Amino acid sequence: MAQENDSFTTVEKSLHEHLPAEEKSEVLRILYGKPSPPLTIPQSAIDLAQERNFELASYTLKSLAATEQTRLPRLVRIGAIQNQILLPTDKPVVEQREALFKRISDIIEVAAQCGCNIVCMQEAWNMPFAFCTREKYPWSEFAESAEDGPTTVMLQELAKKYNMVVLSSILERDESDVLWNTTVVISNTGRYLGKSRKNHIPRVGDFNESTYYMEGDTGHPVFDTQFGRIGINICYGRHHPLNWLMFGVNGAEIVFNPSATVGNLSEPMWGIEARNAAIANSYYTVPINRVGTETFKNEFTSGDGKPAHNDFGHFYGSTYVASPDGTRTPGLSRTLDGLLVTEVDLNLCRQVKDKWGFRMTQRLDMYAKELAEAVKPGYKPPVIKG
Amino acid sequence: MAQENDSFTTVEKSLHEHLPAEEKSEVLRILYGKPSPPLTIPQSAIDLAQERNFELASYTLKSLAATEQTRLPRLVRIGAIQNQILLPTDKPVVEQREALFKRISDIIEVAAQCGCNIVCMQEAWNMPFAFCTREKYPWSEFAESAEDGPTTVMLQELAKKYNMVVLSSILERDESDVLWNTTVVISNTGRYLGKSRKNHIPRVGDFNESTYYMEGDTGHPVFDTQFGRIGINICYGRHHPLNWLMFGVNGAEIVFNPSATVGNLSEPMWGIEARNAAIANSYYTVPINRVGTETFKNEFTSGDGKPAHNDFGHFYGSTYVASPDGTRTPGLSRTLDGLLVTEVDLNLCRQVKDKWGFRMTQRLDMYAKELAEAVKPGYKPPVIKG
């Protein structure tokens, strides 16, 4: 991709400021779908966000859904949190983690004031994204039990206190010391509901993360919570349409995509992939990316011919919500910590299925057969020579 | 979607005209990927396009690909044609078709002058998009043999004359009077190479096109032509990621998406879906949409509570090319006939596969198994109650 500019905040701000009114409405319609009206939130939340120095943006997409005769609206407020790390990466592991616990607790408190029913943080939110270093220590020490590690225990308290489903992406260490990239799902009662492991591992740029953890073996579970049916497609899995698809087949209404990705690698794809998934699968998607540049003590190389260095680029944030009807919200900033609060009506998922019919026209039986053939050794694709 | 404005030409023009330079480069990088530099084409072609009253836009994406040591660049020029119908829809079928033959021959001549190696027209290019009327006649009379119907015969001459692969989407009538929505592939020698039938049929808005034709039975063939390996995903198939995926599994380097779709239905999705497919499958995609508003003699209703009417909306053109690295070209106009000429280096497909590794990390075996289970009656999705 072309060279990014770390200080540029968001595309949406630029469009709003510079386009003349009559063209702006067309540009925004074509690029963003229907409008994302502001959602009114308490002044106390706005004040607290300012005081704590993070962006707070709030939208309501509830008017995208029609009123039904036989179901009440199913309004849910989704909180998506993006953040920088806080301490230098050579500080003790526990100190780094504790600082992030404090920061995220502070943001979740504001999410609660905004009435969020579900919150999700970015990928591996409780640690620096150190997989570029290829060093096993101290980074593997951030790995912990999904079920009762310190991060899960800390969040269970908050989930219960705020009556909020919490999705927490961590580096997981299981009982036999296999590591996984895992999202823990905590119910709004504070109960550990289960986990979803990252299915697809990058082998790109600075990362072959299979150095650290295994390809997920949990398939495509859907968590049927009080606030909707939730799936989690972690980071690089957003490049894989089949990963998104199986969560849809299994009934998800919201699929989160906790991520960690940098501008020069993936930014032009960011607005495309999760949004395409929302459209194709008639569910909401919530791609979340960290922000900031993370520096490591020991230099490393990136297989790109450049000299050894201590960071691998700028995480561009830009967290947003995409709706099954093709609409998306503006993104959070490319540079600041932020909380994105989005009110949605889950009824829209079924309404879009009824309108567009993608599930009914999907011909999964045909693809099950074609894929079963395609994965056989010696598969001969149907190629017509010309 | 919000109400469209039929006279608005393109988003890209608006961005270029109004954004200040320093922000423009960031907005365009994030929204469009790397730049699409102009491709120099002969003045005679420019003059002829002007005289014949259609937009001619040309870009080269060849610099996206790196120079390799063991393969020469594989430069191919793709011509994508969007057009309005010419005669009123109540004129005799043969007259309507002949007028379109003339128009498309005129545009293909210019494509030849621009050095196009492949041209593709929009869906059902040789007829009005009359499926909204639910009338069988006269529309079924536009259907013809894929192998030796008048449209194929006409284009075989041009393919041979200009040394050009031609992709022609028609309503096909087979020998047993079954109708299909089919793209005919004609080699640059003028030979009929084969056909690819539309796999997914819309049941949305004004259209249940299964009134007219059957779901495709040709699977996902790839045509290995002198100018690259080509697949065709017709219209509504672009909403189905598995349709795109199988063309990729079968080795396609360019997948065309001849379409016919209107603004209020699909426009915010148009820039997303084919581009996502290019990214996910490491091939070029070429979505092509017709332009204009088509009026029919007999009024019809659209199941939307509105009074009977004689047209169902504005086809918004906006034909573009998406590259496997996430870049896309600007779109053709939303309102005018046009020819988009794009030079690409097919070597980029393999380079992007090597860089991103999507094929290697795709885990098709897992999905083949999951889908095989999911299509069984009584399938119980993995849902965790919370």
Side-chain angles (χ1 to χ4, degrees), chain A residues 21-81:
Chain A
E22 71 284 8
E23 291 184 31
K24 188 190 295 184
S25 66
E26 272 299 276
V27 169
L28 294 180
R29 178 184 68 80
I30 294 169
L31 293 180
Y32 295 84
K34 288 186 174 165
S36 296
L39 172 72
T40 305
I41 48 176
Q43 187 60 43
S44 62
I46 297 168
D47 294 343
L48 215 47
Q50 189 164 26
E51 183 186 308
R52 292 174 180 175
N53 196 28
F54 63 88
E55 180 187 10
L56 173 55
S58 57
Y59 305 100
T60 174
L61 301 180
K62 74 175 175 183
S63 67
L64 299 178
T67 304
E68 300 183 18
Q69 294 192 25
T70 56
R71 292 194 301 180
L72 290 171
R74 294 164 60 221
L75 296 183
V76 166
R77 290 194 187 184
I78 300 166
I81 299 173

Side-chain angles (χ1 to χ4, degrees), chain A residues 14 23 200 236 250 356 361 379, chain B residues 14 23 236 250 356 361 379:
Chain A
S14 205
E23 291 184 31
H200 301 270
Y236 182 82
N250 291 340
W356 277 98
T361 58
Y379 170 64
Chain B
S14 204
E23 292 184 31
Y236 183 81
N250 291 340
W356 277 98
T361 58
Y379 170 64

Side-chain angles (χ1 to χ4, degrees), chain A residues 170-246:
Chain A
I170 63 168
L171 191 59
E172 176 197 358
R173 179 183 293 277
D174 74 14
E175 286 169 5
S176 57
D177 288 317
V178 176
L179 269 57
W180 312 86
N181 188 320
T182 298
T183 301
V184 176
V185 181
I186 301 167
S187 106
N188 54 311
T189 61
R191 188 159 67 87
Y192 168 83
L193 265 189
K195 64 191 167 198
S196 188
R197 288 169 169 163
K198 182 170 175 173
N199 282 321
H200 301 270
I201 303 185
R203 315 178 184 190
V204 57
D206 278 88
F207 299 99
N208 184 334
E209 296 173 23
S210 65
T211 302
Y212 292 89
Y213 61 84
M214 287 289 289
E215 284 173 316
D217 61 353
T218 50
H220 297 84
V222 169
F223 298 88
D224 188 7
T225 74
Q226 190 179 324
F227 306 114
R229 294 192 300 273
I230 295 170
I232 305 106
N233 175 346
I234 303 174
C235 198
Y236 182 82
R238 79 180 168 282
H239 305 301
H240 287 289
L242 273 164
N243 204 26
W244 293 107
L245 181 130
M246 278 311 303

Side-chain angles (χ1 to χ4, degrees), chain B residues 57-124:
Chain B
S58 57
Y59 304 100
T60 175
L61 302 180
K62 74 176 174 184
S63 67
L64 299 178
T67 304
E68 299 183 18
Q69 294 192 25
T70 56
R71 292 194 302 181
L72 290 171
R74 295 162 62 220
L75 297 182
V76 166
R77 290 193 187 184
I78 300 165
I81 299 172
Q82 66 178 35
N83 64 285
Q84 305 177 52
I85 55 170
L86 290 146
L87 298 187
T89 56
D90 58 351
K91 289 281 178 188
V93 161
V94 175
E95 278 181 36
Q96 290 187 59
R97 191 168 62 200
E98 292 289 337
L100 283 160
F101 282 8
K102 172 73 172 67
R103 179 65 169 159
I104 291 301
S105 300
D106 281 355
I107 300 179
I108 288 180
E109 185 186 1
V110 176
Q113 293 191 8
C114 295
C116 286
N117 306 112
I118 310 167
V119 287
C120 181
M121 281 78 77
Q122 67 210 18
E123 184 183 24

Side-chain angles (χ1 to χ4, degrees), chain B residues 15-30:
Chain B
L15 302 182
H16 274 287
E17 280 176 15
H18 301 294
L19 298 183
E22 70 284 8
E23 292 184 31
K24 189 190 294 183
S25 66
E26 274 298 277
V27 169
L28 293 180
R29 178 184 69 80
I30 294 170

